[in-house]
Amino acid sequence: MRIRFLLVTGAALIGGFRALAAQEQPKPVEKPQPPKKPTVDFSKFKFMEGCWRGQTGKDDIVEENWSSPSENLLLATTRYLTKDRATGYEFTRIQWQDSVVVFAASSNGRPEDVYPLKTIADEYVLFENPAKKGFPTRIIYRMASDGSLIPRNEGDGPSVEVRFERVKCPGADIKIK
């Protein structure tokens, strides 16, 4: 009886080890797929590149600095100023994300608002998020014939438009050693 007990116990242990070993078999590692190339030509955003400044009131100024476009990304920082004192800021990106181009902006540390690309043409771009609660639901950038960059926010209520003039980028005069 003792031998029988040892045989049954041994068989149960071996079966348990086999089941455990089968569970711990490493799964085949999937090779990461290279990201798909954007179907939108990001060089069409080149008209936004550079440093811009616009007056929104007697003492109110907006500065917006856009990076040059890479294959899938542009970045911008925006400062809102009153009498040379910063009153707000925004971080913005235009990015190829999950097979769509988006305009994503975060103002003053709040969560991002995201707007998918709706239209792109020569020196004109429109992003729209009709499901967004609050203003704006549409963001437009266009180049005027005089070389000004004109961003426009639209949605419920009056639209907001600024005429930006190109300015020298901050730090452009710093000599590199």
Side-chain angles (χ1 to χ4, degrees), residues 105-135:
S106 173
S107 299
N108 300 318
R110 290 192 293 268
E112 280 186 330
D113 289 324
V114 177
Y115 305 82
L117 177 66
K118 180 88 171 165
T119 306
I120 189 165
D122 289 340
E123 299 182 336
Y124 175 89
V125 63
L126 164 66
F127 297 91
E128 185 173 33
N129 183 350
K132 180 182 177 285
K133 303 230 186 295
F135 184 85

Side-chain angles (χ1 to χ4, degrees), residues 2 35 54 81 91-92 96 110 116 122 126 139 158:
R2 190 171 203 192
L81 302 143
F91 297 113
T92 308
W96 174 256
R110 290 192 293 268
D122 289 340
L126 164 66
I139 300 188

Side-chain angles (χ1 to χ4, degrees), residues 115 124-130 132 134-142 150-161:
Y115 305 82
Y124 175 89
V125 63
L126 164 66
F127 297 91
E128 185 173 33
N129 183 350
K132 180 182 177 285
F135 184 85
T137 56
R138 284 180 302 284
I139 300 188
I140 300 166
Y141 279 83
R142 67 183 172 88
I150 302 175
R152 180 179 177 90
N153 292 353
E154 299 178 343
D156 291 337
S159 297
V160 177
E161 186 173 282

Side-chain angles (χ1 to χ4, degrees), residues 2 13 21 25 36 55 62 69 87 95 135 137 139 155 171 175:
R2 190 171 203 192
L13 285 173
Q25 290 296 324
K36 291 182 181 175
Q55 193 97 21
V62 180
T87 58
Q95 184 176 23
F135 184 85
T137 56
I139 300 188
K175 302 239 186 302

Side-chain angles (χ1 to χ4, degrees), residues 36-40 42 72 94-101:
K36 291 182 181 175
K37 286 195 172 202
T39 55
V40 172
F42 267 66
N72 61 338
I94 296 175
Q95 184 176 23
W96 174 256
Q97 178 179 306
D98 299 328
S99 75
V100 69
V101 176

